[in-house]
Amino acid sequence: MPRWNTDTRPRLVQAAVDLFTAQGYEATSVTEIAEAAGLTKPTFFRHFRDKREVLFAGQEQHAQIIADTVADAGADTTVLEAAACAVQTLAERFTEDRRDFNVRLAQVVAEAPDLQERAIYKRAALADALRDALAARGFGPARAGIAADLSIRAFYEAYSDWLTSTGEASMGELVTRNLTAARTGLNDLA
Amino acid sequence: MPRWNTDTRPRLVQAAVDLFTAQGYEATSVTEIAEAAGLTKPTFFRHFRDKREVLFAGQEQHAQIIADTVADAGADTTVLEAAACAVQTLAERFTEDRRDFNVRLAQVVAEAPDLQERAIYKRAALADALRDALAARGFGPARAGIAADLSIRAFYEAYSDWLTSTGEASMGELVTRNLTAARTGLNDLA
DNA sequence: GTCTATACAATGATAGAC
DNA sequence: GTCTATCATTGTATAGAC
């Protein structure tokens, strides 16, 4: 990573979110975003694969965080414990000062089907990363898949709660609550 | 639906899959597809929202099949039974004569990230439909979500098996096997 | 190695005629 | 319901400047 111009990406992200919020996602062109950041269209596409990707900047490391956490978990942890640990660690990145930004982001995503599709893809990528990490620890594919789905689901429900709540609970607490609810549902299953 | 030109969509689908298989997805333009079917580009877009959607024609009713099956299940069925019933009913649409087409389709999807994203979106839509249908029957949200994820996962693993196997097992049988494996994994979870 | 300038193919939308 | 026609935008490629 070069030291100069290291704020190019954040500037593009900020310009994009501002414009999307003000005029809507589809009504905003990539050229507009680039010029609002004092750059040009080709530069935008050098930093982001496509127009959608700019709204998911900062999530690049999420899969790695999950993989690392599972790999570093104690030797005697169960599948569910390892999976829970992974999403708990991920939750730490969702600090209170990032809540407003995430709320605005969710509002933009809600209005554009293209963005919802990308968001679902990101969720699936996280579930895959978690499942693979669990499988790499020796848990069977069926168990790994189920534990991954269950934990990622709890995480996203917590994320939704976090966005709609008024800040009385941290993301970590909400993840814990939703994981508990999931385990209860699991027991009621059979 | 008009009686004339009722084969327009199938013709477009066939032309698309043929061209994608021959030259690749990205190397084939919508104009090419339309002209190969004796039509024009705007006509293509009247039938399919975008270039990707043409490869998922025929899946429009899948969500409805799942919803209907769950709604029609016996009053004393458990969550897992209702969910299993739904994917089993869906499996009936994957008859042996459609296997070759699905194999070609999977090959095209495998080469284009855009298509994989759309495929994942379709899977998520099925999981949502199943979860909603289960919730509508009074099963709690946690149980409904887990049962939906688990059953859809088993379905897709069965689909993958169905494509790679050489026809000795039907899609229904493969779904049954994967559902059984999932239930075993579920018991090993706690 | 990062950005600009320019040109380009293709997607996807739109308006109007048959 | 399809066609012609036109259009803005996405996303890529090539050149070169700093």
Side-chain angles (χ1 to χ4, degrees):
Chain A
M1 281 294 186
R3 183 180 293 141
W4 60 89
N5 276 347
T6 208
D7 62 334
T8 304
R9 284 170 64 98
R11 268 199 353 255
L12 283 168
V13 172
Q14 191 63 49
V17 175
D18 286 346
L19 285 167
F20 291 162
T21 306
Q23 340 171 332
Y25 172 77
E26 294 185 347
T28 305
S29 73
V30 171
T31 304
E32 272 182 289
I33 300 167
E35 288 177 355
L39 300 164
T40 56
K41 183 172 65 114
T43 304
F44 177 95
F45 284 111
R46 275 187 12 85
H47 286 275
F48 305 102
R49 262 154 259 178
D50 51 45
K51 186 181 170 185
R52 307 182 256 309
E53 200 65 14
V54 70
L55 283 168
F56 299 92
Q59 298 191 16
E60 301 89 354
Q61 308 153 354
H62 287 190
Q64 195 59 47
I65 289 170
I66 283 178
D68 291 346
T69 306
V70 169
D72 295 350
D76 56 345
T77 52
T78 67
V79 212
L80 283 181
E81 284 168 353
C85 198
V87 293
Q88 287 283 10
T89 303
L90 189 57
E92 293 171 12
R93 284 181 63 98
F94 294 74
T95 49
E96 196 57 26
D97 58 304
R98 296 196 184 177
R99 223 174 65 99
D100 285 352
F101 180 81
N102 275 273
V103 169
R104 294 178 65 195
L105 204 136
Q107 284 167 348
V108 175
V109 171
E111 71 163 346
D114 278 10
L115 294 174
Q116 294 168 42
E117 195 166 336
R118 178 59 53 88
I120 284 169
Y121 179 79
K122 297 289 184 184
R123 172 175 171 159
L126 285 192
D128 280 356
L130 181 50
R131 176 184 49 91
D132 291 347
L134 293 170
R137 293 212 33 158
F139 298 115
R143 276 194 293 172
I146 295 167
D149 284 347
L150 178 136
S151 305
I152 294 295
R153 176 175 286 277
F155 179 84
Y156 271 84
E157 279 164 5
Y159 180 68
S160 173
D161 293 345
W162 187 61
L163 294 181
T164 52
S165 70
T166 48
E168 72 278 2
S170 72
M171 181 64 178
E173 287 167 338
L174 292 168
V175 167
T176 301
R177 283 184 210 169
N178 276 283
L179 280 171
T180 303
R183 272 187 291 261
T184 304
L186 203 54
N187 290 332
D188 294 348
L189 220 55
Chain B
M1 281 294 186
R3 183 180 291 140
W4 60 91
N5 275 348
T6 208
D7 61 335
T8 303
R9 284 171 64 97
R11 270 203 345 258
L12 284 167
V13 172
Q14 191 63 49
V17 176
D18 287 345
L19 286 167
F20 292 161
T21 306
Q23 338 171 336
Y25 172 77
E26 294 184 350
T28 305
S29 72
V30 172
T31 305
E32 272 182 288
I33 300 166
E35 288 177 355
L39 300 164
T40 56
K41 183 170 66 113
T43 304
F44 177 96
F45 284 111
R46 277 185 38 75
H47 286 275
F48 305 102
R49 260 154 255 185
D50 50 45
K51 186 181 170 186
R52 308 182 257 308
E53 200 65 15
V54 70
L55 283 168
F56 299 92
Q59 298 190 18
E60 300 90 352
Q61 310 152 354
H62 287 190
Q64 194 60 48
I65 289 170
I66 283 178
D68 291 347
T69 306
V70 169
D72 295 351
D76 56 346
T77 53
T78 67
V79 212
L80 284 180
E81 284 168 355
C85 198
V87 292
Q88 287 283 12
T89 304
L90 189 56
E92 293 171 12
R93 284 180 63 98
F94 293 73
T95 49
E96 195 57 26
D97 59 304
R98 295 195 185 178
R99 224 173 65 98
D100 285 350
F101 180 81
N102 276 273
V103 168
R104 294 179 65 196
L105 203 135
Q107 285 167 347
V108 175
V109 171
E111 71 162 345
D114 278 10
L115 295 174
Q116 293 168 44
E117 195 166 336
R118 179 58 53 88
I120 284 169
Y121 178 79
K122 296 291 184 184
R123 172 174 170 159
L126 285 192
D128 279 356
L130 180 50
R131 176 183 50 91
D132 290 348
L134 293 170
R137 291 212 35 157
F139 297 116
R143 276 194 294 173
I146 296 168
D149 284 347
L150 179 137
S151 306
I152 294 296
R153 178 174 285 278
F155 179 84
Y156 271 85
E157 279 164 4
Y159 180 68
S160 174
D161 294 345
W162 187 60
L163 293 182
T164 52
S165 69
T166 47
E168 73 278 1
S170 73
M171 180 65 176
E173 287 166 339
L174 292 168
V175 167
T176 301
R177 284 184 209 170
N178 276 283
L179 281 171
T180 302
R183 272 187 292 260
T184 304
L186 203 54
N187 291 332
D188 294 347
L189 219 55

